[in-house]
Amino acid sequence: MQADGKAWLFAPAGLIDGPLPAHYEPQESPFGNPLYAQQRNPTRQVFHRPENPYHPASGEAGAEVFPFVLTTYRLTEHHTAGGMSRTVPYLSELQPAMFCEVSPELAEEAGLEHGGWATIYSSRTAIEARVLVTDRIPPLEVQGRKTHQIGLPYHWGTRGLTTGDAANDLAHIALDPNVHIQESKAFSVGIKPGRRPRGPELPRFVEEQRRRAR
């Protein structure tokens, strides 16, 4: 968007990755870039630190450890991270628990039960959520193969009338080169039935997933 109120397809100045828009896959994607060999935005900001490991991309060794696409989203009843809305009784009653949305196909494949517990994990951490089996999150047919999606609201935390694990803890830190926004709407994860490990078992579990993906 420019000062005259119009958007430019060709932006000769002001964009680090300009002047024309181009398609890049997310930092973590189960698919290769269908347009050209450059998989990820070459000007993205990345942070190679022990607490921020990145998952292998499509075709790289270990990519099968995190085979599903996760996306986060908002709920009508809660506001941003939930710090205000989780203290309101009627809002907490309307959305009383952190949950994950999965398709019936993924639920059957992963052994998940509607209303039961699931552990969603990345190479950063693992969280738990109640399972909501729904047709709203269908699998995607991309590049000739089926890929499942997992939907997570990002309104939960450790305080309030309703508490739960935080979805954004799963995400990596990779920033847009222009406005420096974290890429937390699309990344890869794994999922399994049951509650997540507690105490020292949690970092051990996460380290095991890292080893499997190397």
Side-chain angles (χ1 to χ4, degrees), residues 43-47 173-178 180-183:
T43 63
R44 72 195 186 283
Q45 289 182 280
V46 293
F47 303 87
I173 299 176
L175 307 183
D176 169 86
N178 296 293
H180 316 294
I181 293 176
Q182 181 181 353
E183 187 180 65

Side-chain angles (χ1 to χ4, degrees), residues 44-120:
R44 72 195 186 283
Q45 289 182 280
V46 293
F47 303 87
H48 295 287
R49 301 185 334 207
E51 68 273 18
N52 186 49
Y54 297 118
H55 294 170
S58 174
E60 296 177 351
E64 72 282 356
V65 177
F66 308 104
F68 307 123
V69 174
L70 187 142
T71 185
T72 59
Y73 53 81
R74 299 169 182 264
L75 300 174
T76 304
E77 295 82 3
H78 285 299
H79 180 67
T80 61
M84 293 177 280
S85 55
R86 278 185 280 105
T87 62
V88 180
Y90 52 86
L91 294 178
S92 297
E93 183 179 8
L94 288 169
Q95 291 289 358
M98 173 63 168
F99 62 90
C100 61
E101 288 195 60
V102 299
S103 68
E105 295 93 331
L106 178 53
E108 182 177 1
E109 179 181 316
L112 305 172
E113 295 185 4
H114 182 73
W117 288 98
T119 293
I120 305 101

Side-chain angles (χ1 to χ4, degrees), residues 1-203:
M1 184 66 70
Q2 303 299 314
D4 59 3
K6 299 179 181 179
W8 293 359
L9 181 62
F10 181 84
L15 292 179
I16 294 176
D17 54 353
L20 286 169
H23 171 76
Y24 299 108
E25 287 295 305
Q27 173 70 33
E28 296 180 355
S29 172
F31 302 102
N33 191 331
L35 296 183
Y36 35 79
Q38 180 64 47
Q39 173 77 358
R40 306 176 180 96
N41 189 329
T43 63
R44 72 195 186 283
Q45 289 182 280
V46 293
F47 303 87
H48 295 287
R49 301 185 334 207
E51 68 273 18
N52 186 49
Y54 297 118
H55 294 170
S58 174
E60 296 177 351
E64 72 282 356
V65 177
F66 308 104
F68 307 123
V69 174
L70 187 142
T71 185
T72 59
Y73 53 81
R74 299 169 182 264
L75 300 174
T76 304
E77 295 82 3
H78 285 299
H79 180 67
T80 61
M84 293 177 280
S85 55
R86 278 185 280 105
T87 62
V88 180
Y90 52 86
L91 294 178
S92 297
E93 183 179 8
L94 288 169
Q95 291 289 358
M98 173 63 168
F99 62 90
C100 61
E101 288 195 60
V102 299
S103 68
E105 295 93 331
L106 178 53
E108 182 177 1
E109 179 181 316
L112 305 172
E113 295 185 4
H114 182 73
W117 288 98
T119 293
I120 305 101
Y121 56 89
S122 70
S123 61
R124 277 78 58 177
T125 193
I127 70 168
E128 65 183 18
R130 291 288 188 176
V131 177
L132 174 61
V133 180
T134 171
D135 292 326
R136 299 197 311 170
I137 309 289
L140 300 173
E141 190 79 25
V142 181
Q143 298 179 7
R145 57 190 173 92
K146 181 183 290 186
T147 295
H148 291 291
Q149 304 178 83
I150 300 170
L152 281 182
Y154 71 105
H155 303 296
W156 268 269
T158 58
R159 297 182 181 181
L161 298 175
T162 171
T163 60
D165 287 346
N168 283 351
D169 286 350
L170 292 168
H172 58 266
I173 299 176
L175 307 183
D176 169 86
N178 296 293
V179 294
H180 316 294
I181 293 176
Q182 181 181 353
E183 187 180 65
S184 58
K185 295 298 178 185
F187 54 97
S188 59
V189 296
I191 192 170
K192 69 184 194 72
R195 305 194 72 168
R196 65 166 173 81
R198 258 56 181 181
E201 292 300 318
L202 178 57

